């Protein structure tokens, strides 16, 4: 038998946790420490990154609608108004949810950011100029940064009140 098998048998016989069990225990301890460090949102509080997300969502919805009204064409044709209306409406809804610091609004923004990262990641592989490459990298970097920072804000938004907290 190999020495590793004998070591595992001795650990089991001695009641010691396996390496994997110890790894899971360390992970759970880190998770608990991170949760304990979180502060629930105060009444009316909105994390700064959530405000940034609300402004971005509103700006994207407004820019889309304004572009359509200005007659901007995509590949020689003006897009269907129904598509413009759906996208702008979705972005305005996400902006409202983020502005009100609602979990569903922030989650919706994260979904839109993830979609943008995926789309521009594919476009990155097809970039035909340095400008296209830089635009794709800028969108991926910006969307990724906002996405990452929204994770902690979402954790604070969905936190239950702590026992004895005055809210």
């Amino acid at each position: 038998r190999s020495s590793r098998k004998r070591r595992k048998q001795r650990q089991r016989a001695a009641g010691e946790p396996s390496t994997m069990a110890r790894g899971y225990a360390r992970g759970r301890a880190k998770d608990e420490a991170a949760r304990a460090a979180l502060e629930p949102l105060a009444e009316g509080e909105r994390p700064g990154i959530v405000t940034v997300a609300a402004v971005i969502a509103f700006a994207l919805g407004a820019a889309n609608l304004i572009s359509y009204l200005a007659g901007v064409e995509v590949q020689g044709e003006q897009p269907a108004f129904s598509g413009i209306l759906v996208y702008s409406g979705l972005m305005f809804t996400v902006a409202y949810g983020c502005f009100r610091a609602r979990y569903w609004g922030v989650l919706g923004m994260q979904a839109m950011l993830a979609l943008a990262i995926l789309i521009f990641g594919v476009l990155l592989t097809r970039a035909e100029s340095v400008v296209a490459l830089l635009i794709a990298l800028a969108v991926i970097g910006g969307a990724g940064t906002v996405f990452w920072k929204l994770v902690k804000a979402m954790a604070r938004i969905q936190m239950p009140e702590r026992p004895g907290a005055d809210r």
Side-chain angles (χ1 to χ4, degrees):
R1 288 188 175 174
S2 72
S3 63
R4 187 174 10 162
K5 285 184 180 179
R6 284 188 298 247
R7 189 174 351 119
K8 283 189 176 185
Q9 284 179 339
R10 281 190 306 244
Q11 284 176 341
R12 277 190 228 125
E16 293 179 26
S18 68
T19 304
M20 190 163 37
R22 286 192 306 267
Y24 281 125
R26 277 194 305 272
R28 281 191 295 274
K30 282 183 182 179
D31 290 346
E32 287 301 319
R35 283 187 197 98
L38 285 175
E39 289 289 327
L41 293 178
E43 191 67 36
E45 182 184 2
R46 181 178 52 247
I49 191 66
V50 175
T51 303
V52 169
V55 169
I56 291 170
F58 183 82
L60 288 173
N64 196 45
L65 200 54
I66 291 167
S67 296
Y68 179 82
L69 295 174
V72 172
E73 295 180 351
V74 177
Q75 296 179 348
E77 295 182 14
Q78 193 168 28
F81 182 68
S82 59
I84 298 297
L85 197 59
V86 167
Y87 176 78
S88 293
L90 182 62
M91 295 313 291
F92 291 144
T93 302
V94 166
Y96 173 79
C98 285
F99 185 74
R100 301 282 307 196
R102 299 291 185 250
Y103 186 80
W104 58 264
V106 178
L107 186 62
M109 184 63 181
Q110 282 199 307
M112 298 304 288
L113 291 168
L115 193 58
I117 292 167
L118 287 172
I119 290 169
F120 279 88
V122 171
L123 292 175
L124 185 63
T125 65
R126 303 189 53 138
E128 296 179 358
S129 69
V130 173
V131 172
L133 178 80
L134 293 175
I135 289 171
L137 288 174
V139 170
I140 292 168
T145 300
V146 174
F147 184 96
W148 182 253
K149 290 182 179 236
L150 282 174
V151 171
K152 184 176 180 182
M154 283 178 61
R156 290 186 66 208
I157 289 170
Q158 75 173 356
M159 270 187 85
E161 287 187 36
R162 291 194 178 144
D166 294 343
R167 258 178 98 179

